[in-house]
Amino acid sequence: MKTLSDPEGRREILRRLALICPDTPHRWGRMNASQMICHVSDAFLGVMGDKPIEMPRGFNLWPMMKPWVLYAPFNWPQGVPTRPEMDQQIGGTRPVEFDQDMRRLLAAIERFTAQPRTFRFRPHPMFKEMSEKDWMRWGYLHTAHHLRQFGV
C-alpha cells in the first residue's frame, strides 16, 4: 500500500510532480496545472495548521467511509466537490509563478512527511481525526489523484 511515509511512494510522487509543467493539460475538472499545484499545497498546509480550513457542519458520512476511501484498491473518482477554501477560483491560494508554487508544494510535502513532526495534524474536513498511517495514505492518494488528473 503506497503512502508518503514509504520512501518509494514519496519518490514516486516527487518524480511524477517533476513531470508537471505550467501548460500540462488536464484530463478532467476545471483546474489548470498551476492551480492544481496550489490546491495540493493548500491541502497539505491546511491539515498542518498553516491555512484555515472550514469544518463542515451537520451530518457527515465521510468519517464512516474513511477506511474504504483510504484503503480500498481503487482510484478516487472524479468530480468530488472541492472545499471553497481549497478552490483556487474561490478561496484557495492563487498561482503566482509556477516554479515558486512548485517549490512551495515540495516544501509542504517535506514538512508533512518529516520526522519528528513540527506540527500537530488538524482534523480533516471530511474524515475528521486520522492516524499517522491514515494521513500518510491520504497525502499519497490526494496527490496521486490530481497527478492522474493531468495524465502523470
Side-chain angles (χ1 to χ4, degrees), residues 126-145:
M126 294 164 70
F127 303 126
K128 308 298 182 214
E129 297 296 329
M130 298 207 300
S131 69
E132 171 82 11
K133 178 182 171 187
D134 292 343
W135 280 119
M136 293 300 117
R137 180 69 173 153
W138 168 84
Y140 177 89
L141 290 172
H142 183 246
T143 308
H145 169 77

Side-chain angles (χ1 to χ4, degrees), residues 3-6 10 44-50 107-122 130-140:
T3 75
L4 289 181
S5 60
D6 170 51
R10 188 168 46 248
F44 283 117
L45 295 172
V47 300
M48 291 189 292
D50 295 337
I109 292 172
E110 179 65 30
R111 183 165 171 245
F112 183 84
T113 58
Q115 292 289 344
R117 241 356 118 245
T118 60
F119 63 91
R120 185 165 181 243
F121 286 114
R122 295 179 56 190
M130 298 207 300
S131 69
E132 171 82 11
K133 178 182 171 187
D134 292 343
W135 280 119
M136 293 300 117
R137 180 69 173 153
W138 168 84
Y140 177 89

